[in-house]
Amino acid sequence: MLQAMKRRGAGLSFLRRLSLLLLPLLCLATPLQSASPPAAPAADQPAKIRELLGLLGDPQVQEWIKAQQADHEAKSPAPSGETKSAELLASRLAGIRAHMQTLIAIAPQMPAQFQRAADAVMAETQGRGLIPILLAVFIGLGLAVAWLFLWATRGLWRRSLELPMDKVGQRVIALFARLVYGALLVTAFGLGSIGAFLIFDWPPLLREILLGYLLAFLGFCLAVVVLRFLLAPGAPGAEDTDKFRVLPMTGESARFWYRRYLILAGWFAFGYTTVTLLHDLGFDLEAQRLVAYVLGLGLLAIGFDMVWRHPAASGVAGSSTFLRRRAMAWLLSIYFVLLWALWVASAVRFMWLLIVLAAVPWAIRGVQQAVAHLLRPPEGTDAAAAAVPSLLTIALGRGLRALLIIGGALLLADKWQIDLVALTSNDTVLTRLIRGLLSTVVIVLVADFGWQIAKTAIDRKIVEAPKTGDQHSQEWRRQARMKTLLPIFRNVLFIVLIVMVALMALAALGVDIGPLVAGASVVGVAIGFGAQTLVRDIISGMFYLLDDAFRVGEYIQSGNYKGTVESFSLRSVKLRHHRGPLYTVPFGVLGAIQNMSRDWVIDKELLEDPEFAPKIMETLKMQGVGEFGDFAIQIQMKMMTKPGEQFVIRRRAYAMIKKAFDANGINFAYPTVQVAGGGETPPSAAVVSAAQQALAKPVPAEG
């Protein structure tokens, strides 16, 4: 339950931040292309202008103009770097100032612009005001067709709600079925509205207006389907819809974000369509921009509502405090205002840079959380308890992460007007550097994807290996050897991958890696001589593993070091002593090893209890009297047991022997010391004297 609440809080945090970051992206994406004014007919041009155009078309005149321009550039001093930067900054500021002055100048003309657009619409519809009626008719037709589709497939919809979702595959199928069903509903609406509209022949302007707003409503319906798929808001109290939610969050949060995103999608769809149609209605370019900026203020208002009124991730450990939420709200509000100001000031490149740098990391985080929540294993299973995610989770999460990074780079290149095709053909220092950086990004992403897949596969193999069971079975031994070798292989793979990525990145940046590789080999030899102990440890460890001298979980002894093998590194092994201490022993100092967990061992003791028969490989053997002591006679016996069982058998045997002796009145002999003083004869001396007198008496003859 706690993990589910954490996932919900993480999803809420991501959705809140990502939605607020991407909010200005919607209003900033409105294309405002300047329309080229139609060329005046040749008959309307004055005679002098026609003569001037004819002279400019003369090849000799063009050559003379080029020569004059080259001579002027040769005589002019070349500007320095600082001069170029100052001129560029001054030019940019002048452009921003001119743009703002144009907006201020066009503001008083807006009523006339709207009146001209209204006149054009009334002339197209002959003053009947048919546009709202026609829109309502075709939208109603689309909704009717969608309702008929829903009615005809109501049984299929019920079955999709009853699909099992206990396992990962079942959950994915059920959610995909809901998404497909929603897409079919949107398709039915499109056929009923836009399909019916295209059957008729319309005047050009009326066709553009109606088709534009029908497409806007279709986009709004598509947003409804996508949001219901991601958030599954449901009705208050209907918490059964939580299982259909892709992003982990509470029902209250899902309903909040669902409503705000619908308002945002509707505002953007119809605002985008309106700004696009202004050109066809006769609006000037600057007038179109002014309308777009005003509509952008509406998007800012929606964003402020999201910032200050979003529900908190209550009940989740580590949720934001009140002060932190307020600080984040202020920062995001300032961020939105800054983006809107940069858009109005035509500082588009810097604006898009801020959007990509802020949105892509949060989008990556949110996608990974959604994937982990969607592909989570069923609760109560071993897979749910394991800390290692599945291969599908890693592959999907890392793949989408790479796509988001590449998509952000492509978006930034498009908004900065960087021609990626031209970069491949040009051969300048700048283009080579940009190509190298792009290639490096791709190399790192591919290497990261491959490493995460390999690392997860190795970690899952290690986790899935049985920790208990019959330690003498062939399967347990195979798993133990795998747990021993896989961590070593993982470390070696990581080092090899890092080296390969570094070399490939340097090669992509134009660095000749041939001498570098040769120099690295020389440096490697020098390091090998200077770090002989490290090299000896690594090589010794390789040979220990090749000889299968010990495995994880086995009990070994080497000199003064003994314990159970817990883990490995490239140069050492960790041994856990049975009393608790952990030894980290370099491979180079191990030397000869006693492995007490292989095949069989011989232990000397007494055992006749049949309870231990399965653990005994050879029966008890008497070895006779081993030693005469001061107060005991030691009798030795031995038997062959399975590895690791000799300690248990020995303790049990000693306990049984002591119990048997007590039952028969046999006490163990133990040495005693008596100390006496003074003139009295010690009791022990009296006993000895009496014994001597008894031995000195003659023995009477028999009979």
Side-chain angles (χ1 to χ4, degrees):
M1 180 63 68
L2 181 59
Q3 292 180 354
M5 296 175 67
K6 288 182 178 180
R7 289 195 295 266
R8 289 181 176 180
L12 174 62
S13 175
F14 152 73
L15 187 59
R16 179 175 67 247
R17 296 176 180 178
L18 181 61
S19 62
L20 300 180
L21 283 173
L22 295 181
L23 175 65
L25 182 62
L26 301 176
C27 64
L28 302 177
T30 305
L32 296 176
Q33 302 294 337
S34 59
S36 301
D44 297 338
Q45 295 176 353
K48 291 184 178 180
I49 294 179
R50 292 198 298 272
E51 183 178 356
L52 176 61
L53 294 176
L55 289 174
L56 292 176
D58 190 347
Q60 295 182 357
V61 175
Q62 293 177 358
E63 292 294 335
W64 181 83
I65 292 175
K66 291 180 181 179
Q68 294 296 321
Q69 184 178 2
D71 183 65
H72 175 73
E73 292 177 355
K75 293 179 180 179
S76 301
S80 61
E82 296 181 358
T83 304
K84 288 183 179 180
S85 301
E87 291 178 353
L88 182 61
L89 179 60
S91 174
R92 188 58 185 165
L93 292 176
I96 294 175
R97 190 182 306 109
H99 177 65
M100 300 303 297
Q101 291 174 354
T102 304
L103 291 178
I104 295 173
I106 201 67
Q109 304 177 18
M110 294 304 296
Q113 299 274 349
F114 280 106
Q115 184 61 43
R116 186 167 55 190
D119 294 340
V121 172
M122 296 300 291
E124 189 76 12
T125 60
Q126 299 178 358
R128 299 176 182 174
L130 296 176
I131 292 180
I133 299 175
L134 291 174
L135 277 176
V137 169
F138 286 109
I139 290 176
L141 286 174
L143 294 176
V145 174
W147 182 86
L148 288 175
F149 174 80
L150 186 62
W151 177 81
T153 58
R154 60 187 183 279
L156 182 62
W157 173 250
R158 293 196 193 98
R159 285 194 294 272
S160 68
L161 295 178
E162 297 173 355
L163 289 174
M165 300 184 65
D166 298 330
K167 300 180 180 179
V168 176
Q170 294 173 346
R171 189 183 308 121
V172 172
I173 292 174
L175 293 177
F176 182 73
R178 286 171 57 88
L179 182 61
V180 171
Y181 192 86
L184 292 177
L185 272 176
V186 174
T187 304
F189 171 81
L191 292 176
S193 58
I194 299 177
F197 171 80
L198 295 177
I199 295 176
F200 301 97
D201 189 15
W202 305 94
L205 183 58
L206 185 60
R207 177 187 177 90
E208 292 295 329
I209 295 175
L210 291 176
L211 184 60
Y213 284 111
L214 286 176
L215 288 174
F217 198 87
L218 181 67
F220 177 77
C221 294
L222 184 61
V224 171
V225 172
V226 174
L227 289 175
R228 292 187 68 85
F229 168 73
L230 294 175
L231 302 177
E239 296 301 329
D240 187 54
T241 57
D242 291 353
K243 62 182 182 180
F244 297 110
R245 195 167 296 134
V246 176
L247 290 174
M249 64 180 66
T250 61
E252 178 187 0
S253 300
R255 287 185 287 273
F256 173 86
W257 293 111
Y258 177 74
R259 290 190 293 266
R260 296 311 187 276
Y261 267 108
L262 281 186
I263 297 173
L264 183 65
W267 185 274
F268 170 73
F270 291 98
Y272 180 90
T273 303
T274 299
V275 174
T276 305
L277 292 173
L278 290 179
H279 172 68
D280 298 331
L281 296 175
F283 271 67
D284 296 335
L285 176 62
E286 297 302 328
Q288 297 178 54
R289 290 179 174 174
L290 186 58
V291 173
Y293 298 152
V294 174
L295 291 176
L297 291 176
L299 292 177
L300 279 182
I302 299 173
F304 293 154
D305 178 71
M306 291 181 175
V307 167
W308 294 98
R309 298 183 60 187
H310 66 82
S314 58
V316 180
S319 60
S320 301
T321 61
F322 176 79
L323 293 178
R324 182 178 178 183
R325 290 183 58 200
R326 289 292 178 180
M328 181 60 66
W330 278 110
L331 288 176
L332 289 174
S333 300
I334 295 172
Y335 174 77
F336 290 161
V337 174
L338 176 61
L339 290 180
W340 185 85
L342 291 173
W343 180 39
V344 173
S346 295
V348 181
R349 293 188 175 183
F350 186 63
M351 174 197 69
W352 281 107
L353 178 63
L354 291 181
I355 291 175
V356 171
L357 291 180
V360 169
W362 271 325
I364 292 172
R365 179 184 176 188
V367 166
Q368 291 178 345
Q369 292 173 354
V371 170
H373 179 68
L374 179 63
L375 302 181
R376 67 189 185 279
E379 296 185 3
T381 61
D382 295 338
V388 182
S390 63
L391 281 177
L392 181 59
T393 302
I394 293 297
L396 189 58
R398 292 291 171 168
L400 293 176
R401 173 176 177 267
L403 290 178
L404 285 173
I405 294 176
I406 294 175
L410 292 177
L411 177 64
L412 200 59
D414 178 69
K415 297 305 177 182
W416 282 14
Q417 299 179 353
I418 298 176
D419 191 354
L420 298 179
V421 178
L423 288 178
T424 60
S425 57
N426 295 338
D427 193 19
T428 62
V429 176
L430 180 60
T431 57
R432 287 198 301 269
L433 181 60
I434 295 177
R435 284 200 306 268
L437 292 176
L438 294 177
S439 300
T440 302
V441 170
V442 174
I443 291 170
V444 171
L445 290 176
V446 173
D448 175 73
F449 181 81
W451 162 247
Q452 292 296 333
I453 293 294
K455 176 178 177 295
T456 303
I458 293 174
D459 291 343
R460 288 190 67 84
K461 284 291 184 182
I462 295 175
V463 171
E464 291 172 358
K467 298 180 177 59
T468 59
D470 187 5
Q471 300 183 2
H472 311 291
S473 63
Q474 191 65 26
E475 178 63 21
W476 189 92
R477 294 180 180 180
R478 188 183 68 83
Q479 294 290 348
R481 181 170 176 80
M482 184 178 297
K483 289 177 63 176
T484 302
L485 296 177
L486 284 180
I488 303 296
F489 176 73
R490 180 182 57 195
N491 296 336
V492 173
L493 178 63
F494 178 75
I495 295 174
V496 172
L497 196 61
I498 288 295
V499 173
M500 291 181 60
V501 168
L503 293 178
M504 294 175 67
L506 291 175
L509 292 172
V511 178
D512 188 6
I513 62 174
L516 184 63
V517 173
S521 61
V522 175
V523 173
V525 173
I527 293 177
F529 282 111
Q532 295 183 12
T533 303
L534 176 63
V535 174
R536 182 185 63 183
D537 293 338
I538 295 175
I539 295 177
S540 299
M542 294 174 58
F543 281 105
Y544 277 125
L545 296 178
L546 289 176
D547 293 339
D548 195 19
F550 47 82
R551 305 165 187 164
V552 173
E554 293 183 338
Y555 193 92
I556 66 173
Q557 181 174 357
S558 173
N560 295 326
Y561 307 108
K562 60 182 177 180
T564 303
V565 180
E566 283 200 348
S567 62
F568 294 91
S569 66
L570 284 176
R571 61 172 297 271
S572 63
V573 59
K574 295 184 182 299
L575 302 179
R576 176 72 66 177
H577 194 269
H578 57 274
R579 292 197 180 99
L582 181 66
Y583 295 113
T584 301
V585 187
F587 288 120
V589 302
L590 276 179
I593 294 175
Q594 297 179 14
N595 194 326
M596 302 180 184
S597 301
R598 291 288 178 88
D599 301 330
W600 53 267
V601 295
I602 293 180
D603 194 43
K604 302 176 181 180
E605 55 238 346
L606 178 64
L607 179 64
E608 294 181 353
D609 193 335
E611 175 186 354
F612 299 98
K615 303 176 182 179
I616 300 174
M617 301 181 66
E618 290 187 5
T619 57
L620 182 66
K621 296 179 180 179
M622 173 66 71
Q623 293 183 311
V625 177
E627 183 179 353
F628 279 98
D630 294 335
F631 51 87
I633 299 175
Q634 296 184 5
I635 301 175
Q636 295 181 351
M637 291 170 285
K638 70 177 181 179
M639 68 182 66
M640 184 182 296
T641 67
K642 292 183 178 180
E645 303 294 339
Q646 68 271 26
F647 307 108
V648 178
I649 294 175
R650 180 185 300 165
R651 289 193 297 268
R652 182 64 180 273
Y654 289 162
M656 293 175 64
I657 293 173
K658 180 64 170 61
K659 184 177 180 181
F661 277 20
D662 292 342
N664 291 275
I666 302 175
N667 296 323
F668 283 94
Y670 54 90
T672 60
V673 177
Q674 294 182 357
V675 180
E680 299 179 358
T681 303
S684 57
V687 172
V688 172
S689 177
Q692 291 177 349
Q693 292 176 4
L695 292 175
K697 291 181 180 181
V699 180
E702 295 182 359

